[in-house]
Amino acid sequence: MILPKIKVLRSHGWQYIPDLNAVNLTDEFRGRPILTPSADMADVEAAAKICPTGAISANPFTLDLGRCLFCGECALRAPKNIRFTNDYKIGSSSREALVVKPGDEGIDFCHKEVRAEIPKLFSRALKLRQVSAGGDASVEMELNATGNVNFDFGRYGVEFVASPRHADGVVITGPISQNMAEALDICYHSIPDPKVVIVCGSEAISGGLYAQSRAVNRGFLDRYKVDLWLPGAPTHPMTFIDGVMNMINLKTR
């Protein structure tokens, strides 16, 4: 009985990531983009026209990660102007910091905008209730992966719980549909104060492809402060881990 297990172990190799602060993703991963302006911006204008969420602007030249689907079509259309790197550290406590401009060398996490009580209370343990507010399960599956054998984010006391009454905050995925708006509000008010609000995935941040849909109700984001914005379509587990670690001050960049 033990021999088949040994064979599986040898074929899989060492899956556990010892240091979550020193992870390098494959070069094929689409993370933080680099924008390079040129004299002729016709390709960028063409890329802006085909972007389904309006994430790209040619004048001024910007790319909004909160809207970006990371499909890579813009980089194919304007390869001299737009290039995606494998940098997964793209989360921030500021929505405005997600708008990438030429010359940016990284996404500013904006530590000064993190409420003082968050690292003080949750640096050793943070329990989160995840709410799929009309999501397609892609971001949700990536969030599940943060607790698997590879990442094991629970080693730092960060875990998902079933009940909002046992949680310190809520992680929102999906564009927030009309059918989930009330349920999300009930969940939020069931979490004891002070609580953390994390918005995860491009659909949750901006509405994504469904931003103009009548089936979407995004009033929640107008009523309550968001503590952490995490782009991605879907959001990579390391983007989530890096953002949360910065928010609760487990490390700084």
Side-chain angles (χ1 to χ4, degrees):
M1 293 297 291
I2 192 65
L3 185 58
K5 293 180 174 59
I6 294 175
K7 289 181 177 179
V8 170
L9 180 62
R10 291 186 63 183
S11 66
H12 284 187
W14 186 262
Q15 291 181 287
Y16 172 70
I17 301 172
D19 185 3
L20 290 176
N21 294 330
V23 175
N24 290 314
L25 300 184
T26 175
D27 290 338
E28 285 72 28
F29 173 74
R30 294 192 194 108
R32 177 178 60 86
I34 293 178
L35 307 185
T36 306
S38 59
D40 183 4
M41 297 290 283
D43 286 346
V44 176
E45 292 172 358
K49 289 180 180 179
I50 65 173
C51 182
T53 59
I56 304 168
S57 169
N59 187 23
F61 187 18
T62 59
L63 197 160
D64 186 352
L65 293 184
R67 295 184 179 184
C68 183
L69 300 180
F70 294 83
C71 64
E73 290 298 319
C74 59
L76 294 175
R77 186 65 183 83
K80 295 180 180 179
N81 307 104
I82 303 172
R83 178 175 67 88
F84 284 89
T85 70
N86 65 344
D87 182 4
Y88 58 82
K89 299 177 180 180
I90 55 177
S92 182
S93 60
S94 167
R95 174 67 178 91
E96 291 73 20
L98 302 185
V99 180
V100 179
K101 300 176 289 297
D104 287 352
E105 297 181 354
I107 303 300
D108 183 11
F109 183 83
C110 302
H111 288 278
K112 62 182 180 181
E113 294 196 14
V114 178
R115 290 179 287 142
E117 62 265 28
I118 292 178
K120 180 180 179 181
L121 295 175
F122 305 130
S123 62
R124 294 191 178 184
L126 177 65
K127 308 304 178 184
L128 298 168
R129 176 68 170 99
Q130 192 270 317
V131 176
S132 178
D136 61 3
S138 60
V139 179
E140 293 82 348
M141 286 191 291
E142 296 299 290
L143 292 177
N144 286 340
T146 63
N148 67 18
V149 68
N150 294 295
F151 303 102
D152 187 24
F153 201 19
R155 77 183 95 163
Y156 294 109
V158 181
E159 298 175 311
F160 291 99
V161 294
S163 171
R165 298 190 186 281
H166 299 160
D168 303 307
V170 60
V171 180
I172 304 168
T173 60
I176 310 181
S177 63
Q178 286 279 7
N179 289 344
M180 282 300 297
E182 183 180 1
L184 176 59
D185 225 49
I186 292 172
C187 175
Y188 174 84
H189 288 293
S190 298
I191 299 172
D193 291 325
K195 53 192 131 194
V196 173
V197 177
I198 300 174
V199 177
C200 196
S202 298
E203 286 185 357
I205 294 174
S206 66
L209 290 170
Y210 311 101
Q212 305 304 318
S213 172
R214 291 177 295 176
V216 167
N217 180 353
R218 298 180 55 76
F220 179 92
L221 300 181
D222 297 325
R223 295 191 297 273
Y224 308 114
K225 174 179 170 53
V226 174
D227 297 292
L228 183 59
W229 304 87
L230 298 172
T235 304
H236 192 278
M238 280 308 306
T239 299
F240 177 81
I241 290 169
D242 176 75
V244 171
M245 290 177 81
N246 273 283
M247 181 183 68
I248 63 178
N249 203 26
L250 270 173
K251 65 152 193 173
T252 56
R253 292 178 188 164

